[in-house]
Amino acid sequence: MLKLAFKKNIHKGKLMDLTFTAIVPLLLGSLGIFALFRLLQRMRMRAYLQDAVVVITGATSGLGKECAKAFHAAGSRLVLCGRNGERLQDLVQELSAKANQSKNMHKPCTVIFDLSDTKMVVSAAEEILKSVGHVDILINNAGISYRGTILDTGMDVDKKVMETNYFGPIAFTKALLPSMIKRQQGHIVVISSVQGKISIPFRSAYAASKHATQAFFDCLRAEMEQYEINVTVVSPGYIQTNLSVNAVTADGSRYGVMDKNTIEGRTAAEVAQVVLNAVGQKKKEVLVAGLMPSLAVYLRTLSPRLFFTFMASRARKERKAKDS
Ligand SMILES: NC(=O)C1=CN([C@@H]2O[C@H](COP(=O)(O)OP(=O)(O)OC[C@H]3O[C@@H](n4cnc5c(N)ncnc54)[C@H](OP(=O)(O)O)[C@@H]3O)[C@@H](O)[C@H]2O)C=CC1
Ligand SMILES: CCCCCCCCCCCCCCCC(=O)OCC(=O)COP(=O)(O)O
């Protein structure tokens, strides 16, 4: 139709007519369809999140806390998990004040447990099912990072990072899955990292735990498809949180430094919004990173040799900077 109109109008020398008879309606039509699509998407997302029981680990700070605010604002019923009861209660107070102002918001409840203790994790899952009945969305967010050389790092540190970032979340997920399968409904989310896709020097334990996370939840997604349970893996780049400050070092002590990369990262509120949208749209995975980290992820697959050269040079530079 467009071709015909084009020929006809060129023939008559009426280019302006062509614009008004074919191109403008086509553009307006596309815009209309796009706007309608977005509206339907937003309505579906709202329905999915409103009143949904959402469990968030690591809700006491950083990204977990911001996810709690975002899902609470979307009308979800929150179960906030953490190790520090006082900080969880502070957040409950903050969110409850908002819940009082809107009938679409709910007062959250809390569960205290340490993810590195599998027994505690399993009984926390039982407690949640007992008190709220079911879980619609589980957000495995809690985690710790690490700084150190492989040579200096004791196995206890490797194990601690794996317990918190990998074994804890998978134990929690496994404990909640049977009830999701019974209902043929549920959504498992995990906050991984760019370092779940590429390994950078002096992060061995952390990168390994995030690679394991990526692998486990990719398997889970495939296995859960028949039960209509969704799995979303979120892989952020640097976020402005206390992750580096709380990181564990080679000897098991706290790193205690706010890194420059962390300060220059995205805000936790911004990433929480990405998590909310990814969940609402049932995305399978999302990479939330800038140009260089994104290119590095592709480079690792397309030209591993070049990627390894970059990483070796990065290790040399970092070691030199530390020594001088
Ligand atoms: N910040 C960043 O640059 C990036 C972060 N991420 C990931 O985001 C997630 C959230 O981290 P972020 O908010 O940045 O960092 P924070 O240090 O601010 O938050 C980490 C959260 O995890 C909790 N946590 C740590 N260890 C345990 C444990 N053993 N049991 C239970 N809870 C625990 C902490 O609780 P407590 O208050 O008790 O310590 C805290 O609530 C992590 O999985 C991290 O790997 C991914 C990419 C980049
Ligand atoms: C053709 C050009 C390719 C250029 C690629 C060159 C290599 C660039 C290196 C980029 C490395 C990015 C690392 C990003 C790491 C990251 O974002 O990690 C997120 C975290 O989990 C942060 O945790 P941490 O404890 O490390 O602060």
Side-chain angles (χ1 to χ4, degrees):
M1 195 192 93
L2 184 63
K3 212 171 162 186
L4 260 175
F6 186 74
K7 265 188 183 168
K8 202 174 142 200
N9 286 298
I10 287 292
H11 189 66
K12 287 183 184 166
K14 290 181 181 169
L15 254 177
M16 283 302 281
D17 280 0
L18 169 73
T19 313
F20 286 104
T21 55
I23 298 179
V24 169
L26 201 75
L27 275 177
L28 287 177
S30 311
L31 273 175
I33 290 170
F34 180 70
L36 192 69
F37 171 76
R38 289 300 298 261
L39 183 73
L40 285 174
Q41 194 179 47
R42 224 169 289 154
M43 280 165 65
R44 224 175 30 203
M45 192 165 134
R46 206 172 294 160
Y48 189 59
L49 299 173
Q50 178 72 52
D51 301 327
V53 176
V54 179
V55 176
I56 305 176
T57 68
T60 47
S61 65
L63 181 58
K65 192 172 179 178
E66 291 305 321
C67 280
K69 290 182 191 170
F71 281 81
H72 182 257
S76 303
R77 293 175 193 276
L78 300 185
V79 180
L80 305 174
C81 307
R83 289 183 295 189
N84 187 322
E86 223 169 277
R87 269 196 269 161
L88 283 178
Q89 278 316 316
D90 287 347
L91 182 57
V92 169
Q93 292 295 318
E94 190 182 330
L95 297 180
S96 301
K98 287 190 180 132
N100 289 337
Q101 293 159 14
S102 161
K103 63 176 170 33
N104 288 332
M105 292 182 191
H106 307 277
K107 186 178 176 212
C109 57
T110 61
V111 181
I112 302 166
F113 64 97
D114 190 319
L115 266 171
S116 60
D117 181 335
T118 309
K119 271 192 191 150
M120 268 182 111
V121 171
V122 173
S123 55
E126 285 167 2
E127 188 186 329
I128 291 168
L129 291 176
K130 225 182 195 174
S131 61
V132 288
H134 70 274
V135 173
D136 291 301
I137 301 167
L138 162 63
I139 304 182
N140 287 299
N141 160 77
I144 48 165
S145 195
Y146 149 89
R147 302 284 184 277
T149 69
I150 291 172
L151 279 177
D152 291 337
T153 303
M155 281 303 294
D156 52 335
V157 170
D158 289 292
K159 284 181 183 168
K160 181 184 166 138
V161 176
M162 282 306 275
E163 291 289 354
T164 309
N165 293 0
Y166 178 67
F167 289 112
I170 74 161
F172 200 36
T173 301
K174 283 177 183 226
L176 291 171
L177 266 182
S179 88
M180 287 187 175
I181 290 174
K182 222 186 234 169
R183 297 177 70 230
Q184 294 249 320
Q185 196 179 317
H187 196 145
I188 310 279
V189 184
V190 67
I191 308 299
S192 179
S193 161
V194 166
Q195 293 183 52
K197 294 181 181 288
I198 55 167
S199 298
I200 63 175
F202 312 114
R203 297 288 187 282
S204 56
Y206 181 68
S209 72
K210 293 296 185 181
H211 272 67
T213 298
Q214 173 89 49
F216 180 91
F217 287 91
D218 281 353
C219 288
L220 184 72
R221 183 186 300 112
E223 292 182 29
M224 287 303 116
E225 201 203 25
Q226 62 169 316
Y227 304 112
E228 298 189 31
I229 292 169
N230 303 295
V231 175
T232 302
V233 178
V234 183
S235 306
Y238 296 106
I239 314 171
Q240 295 165 18
T241 68
N242 276 331
L243 187 77
S244 75
V245 177
N246 294 330
V248 64
T249 65
D251 63 8
S253 61
R254 192 165 175 262
Y255 179 57
V257 178
M258 177 65 83
D259 279 350
K260 189 169 171 274
N261 282 331
T262 312
I263 295 169
E264 289 171 354
R266 287 179 165 72
T267 65
E270 195 184 329
V271 179
Q273 210 52 50
V274 175
V275 174
L276 183 95
N277 290 332
V279 173
Q281 292 167 29
K282 300 183 186 167
K283 286 195 177 160
K284 295 188 189 321
E285 69 168 349
V286 48
L287 182 73
V288 200
L291 183 65
M292 288 314 262
S294 303
L295 283 177
V297 171
Y298 289 110
L299 194 67
R300 170 67 182 84
T301 307
L302 299 176
S303 177
R305 196 185 257 254
L306 187 56
F307 175 80
F308 298 146
T309 307
F310 273 126
M311 289 304 126
S313 137
R314 190 179 167 118
R316 265 195 308 275
K317 274 187 205 148
E318 271 189 49
R319 201 172 285 126
K320 215 170 154 189
K322 211 174 167 203
D323 290 347
S324 62

